[in-house]
Amino acid sequence: NAGVTQTPKFQVLKTGQSMTLQCAQDMNHEYMSWYRQDPGMGLRLIHYSVGAGITDQGEVPNGYNVSRSTTEDFPLRLLSAAPSQTSVYFCASSYGDRVATGELFFGEGSRLTVL
Amino acid sequence: SQKIEQNSEALNIQEGKTATLTCNYTNYSPAYLQWYRQDPGRGPVFLLLIRENEKEKRKERLKVTFDTTLKQSLFHITASQPADSATYLCALDPSYNTDKLIFGTGTRLQVFP
């Protein structure tokens, strides 16, 4: 099994550009989420989803959009990139539709730099 | 304010000793707490989950305690090895049985021979 796959691994954007970070999991997990990780700030929850067609906001949702049209995919969209969005982004998934049921499986991260 | 605190300074210990990492939280009422390991340039990897009605959980050389009165979890690695060197993150649900998982900033552990 591939687990949680994130693409791209590295990306450089100019301020104002848009892009989509892709996340796919092959474990039939209902729960998926996006985090960003910054030095000294730890992992911060951006958006999450408890199943196809359902999304909700985390701690830092501004500037990001998500959708969940299938169980497998949970893309994260930056509509107009800003330097403050320079970060490492992690996608994660979990069994069932409740994160309390167990562990999060993380992807390897996508490192984004906005100039 | 709500926060999860882990020692920001690195913990340096000698091989064979027990490493103890602390996770303190304020103004949360979690139903459970989790611990993850993160190596440089990699995603976090789940280690242990402990629920509010559990005082202690063990897995091989790892032990986690959860004191909801003190609002604290302790993470122990016994007989530590250089391969245990990594950053360890604690995480909890910010309110009872919510679908969010909130992370602390992590503590870097360095085990030297």
Side-chain angles (χ1 to χ4, degrees):
Chain A
N1 282 346
V4 178
T5 303
Q6 291 182 233
T7 57
K9 286 183 169 45
F10 300 94
Q11 182 72 47
V12 179
L13 290 178
K14 293 181 180 178
T15 296
Q17 286 185 318
S18 63
M19 78 156 300
T20 298
L21 298 178
Q22 301 290 345
C23 176
Q25 52 89 11
D26 61 357
M27 298 174 282
N28 202 31
H29 286 173
E30 292 291 334
Y31 184 92
M32 296 186 74
S33 56
W34 276 102
Y35 289 85
R36 60 178 288 175
Q37 188 171 39
D38 304 290
M41 301 290 290
L43 285 159
R44 291 182 291 169
L45 181 64
I46 306 172
H47 285 285
Y48 65 98
S49 168
V50 298
I54 305 169
T55 64
D56 207 342
Q57 296 181 349
E59 301 172 273
V60 289
N62 292 341
Y64 307 95
N65 281 348
V66 292
S67 60
R68 186 93 181 272
S69 57
T70 67
T71 298
E72 294 78 20
D73 300 298
F74 191 43
L76 179 71
R77 298 183 186 85
L78 285 71
L79 297 179
S80 180
S84 61
Q85 294 178 303
T86 293
S87 187
V88 181
Y89 291 86
F90 288 99
C91 179
S93 69
S94 182
Y95 299 117
D97 60 356
R98 301 298 306 277
V99 71
T101 58
E103 63 189 278
L104 281 180
F105 293 81
F106 281 84
E108 289 300 307
S110 296
R111 185 176 296 274
L112 175 66
T113 300
V114 183
L115 302 175
Chain B
S1 63
Q2 296 176 314
K3 55 184 176 180
I4 303 171
E5 291 183 318
Q6 296 185 256
N7 285 348
S8 57
E9 293 183 10
L11 178 63
N12 298 309
I13 66 167
Q14 192 171 21
E15 183 176 10
K17 302 292 186 183
T18 296
T20 299
L21 286 69
T22 304
C23 176
N24 294 300
Y25 59 92
T26 307
N27 293 329
Y28 289 121
S29 299
Y32 62 89
L33 193 143
Q34 300 184 11
W35 283 87
Y36 289 77
R37 169 186 172 137
Q38 186 173 24
D39 292 290
R42 307 296 298 275
V45 175
F46 173 82
L47 296 174
L48 283 167
L49 179 151
I50 186 165
R51 301 191 186 280
E52 60 169 347
N53 59 349
E54 298 174 316
K55 294 285 188 206
E56 182 180 295
K57 203 80 168 280
R58 292 175 185 262
K59 178 182 176 183
E60 298 173 351
R61 294 183 296 110
L62 308 180
K63 185 179 84 171
V64 172
T65 63
F66 191 12
D67 190 324
T68 56
T69 301
L70 292 179
K71 295 187 181 296
Q72 180 182 78
S73 175
L74 298 178
F75 177 81
H76 306 273
I77 305 175
T78 58
S80 58
Q81 306 165 0
D84 295 326
S85 298
T87 296
Y88 291 85
L89 310 169
C90 70
L92 53 79
D93 57 329
S95 60
Y96 199 84
N97 275 334
T98 184
D99 292 312
K100 300 179 183 179
L101 192 64
I102 306 299
F103 282 80
T105 53
T107 297
R108 184 168 171 270
L109 173 67
Q110 186 75 32
V111 182
F112 56 92

